[in-house]
Amino acid sequence: MSKRILGGLGLLLGAGLSTGNVLAVEPGDPERGQAAAATCVACHQADGSGMNVPDGESWPRLAGLNAGYIEKQLHDFQAGRRQNASMMPFANMLNDQQIVDVAAYFSQLEITSAGGGEDASEALLTRGEQLANRGDWDNYIVSCKSCHGPGGKGVGSDFPGIASQHGAYISTQLHAWKDDERANDPQNLMGSIAKRMSDDDIEAVSAWYASQTVSAEGEE
Ligand code: HEC
Ligand code: HEC
């Protein structure tokens, strides 16, 4: 009820303040979002858990990701700032209202566990933990924690949660930054970090974050 009223106020304010012909977007509604997400579940799964595919294309977990981060990624796919042949047609199907709605929907789903850390050796996980929490100053690698927060739970809409994300997906993204195939954050922060990482480092940090579980109240 109060959400409806707020939504209505948003519409009025939006209509009053907008100078262009941009349609006002109401705050995200998880129920509408679930309906708009009907096509997404083929890959991202009904519980938003996605899937770890070690030698293929992994589908990222969307459950429990920050809503603002999800919105940004969908706009980036639409604008071609982030490229992926499987994902782009689905981003293009959504209007601005559906983007905030699906973001509201997936962000309130419970964070699921991730694949990709199960078979990692103790040594690999130790290296992963070092990169995540302390970085590697000899190689000018800042700790992941300094942006992605303690435990990799994410900080606001700019720094996504990466703990309990699929290892093969994390590693694909780091390689994409390293090879200049993903560069959709304003200062290409991730690009400069990934370029300093060896393939072994990428494997290690991906396995470590994949094996971290996040409690329900943990992520923003
Ligand atoms: C055919 C499979 C497929 C379908 C269907 C699909 N996606 Fe995706 N999605 C992907 C893949 C693959 C990626 C990872 C792309 C990459 O590697 O850059 C992705 C990435 C994303 C991301 C970025 C996540 C992150 O952590 O950065 C979001 C958000 C997303 N999808 C939302 C959606 C929504 C919403 C729908 C439905 C409207 C949808 N997807 C449908 C395959 C799919
Ligand atoms: C200086 C800040 C900063 C540091 C340090 C940093 N990141 Fe990031 N990271 C970002 C930003 C910003 C984004 C979001 C990019 C975007 O908007 O698409 C991001 C996104 C990511 C993503 C994509 C998540 C998804 O769902 O698609 C992964 C994976 C990731 N970082 C891994 C790491 C790892 C591993 C480390 C440590 C080796 C690290 N990051 C260190 C700023 C940082």
Side-chain angles (χ1 to χ4, degrees), residues 65 69 72-73 82 131 141-144 146-148 158-160 162 165 169-170 173-174 177 182 184-185 189-190 193 197 205 209:
L65 285 185
Y69 173 77
K72 174 185 182 287
Q73 299 307 311
R82 182 171 171 184
L131 290 165
I141 301 170
V142 192
S143 74
C144 318
S146 58
C147 289
H148 292 279
D158 289 332
F159 305 107
I162 51 176
Q165 182 57 276
Y169 172 74
I170 296 178
Q173 299 309 303
L174 291 169
W177 274 301
R182 179 172 173 182
N184 60 320
D185 56 314
L189 295 172
M190 281 309 302
I193 292 162
M197 296 174 79
V205 82
Y209 274 121

Side-chain angles (χ1 to χ4, degrees), residues 39-40 43-44 57 60 62 65 69 82 84 87 90 169 173:
T39 57
C40 319
C43 297
H44 295 285
E57 188 175 62
L62 301 181
L65 285 185
Y69 173 77
R82 182 171 171 184
N84 177 268
M87 184 50 218
F90 292 93
Y169 172 74
Q173 299 309 303

Side-chain angles (χ1 to χ4, degrees), residues 16 20 27 61 80 86 109 115 178 199 208 216:
R61 162 179 66 80
S86 310
L109 294 179
K178 200 174 167 173
D199 291 355
W208 189 77

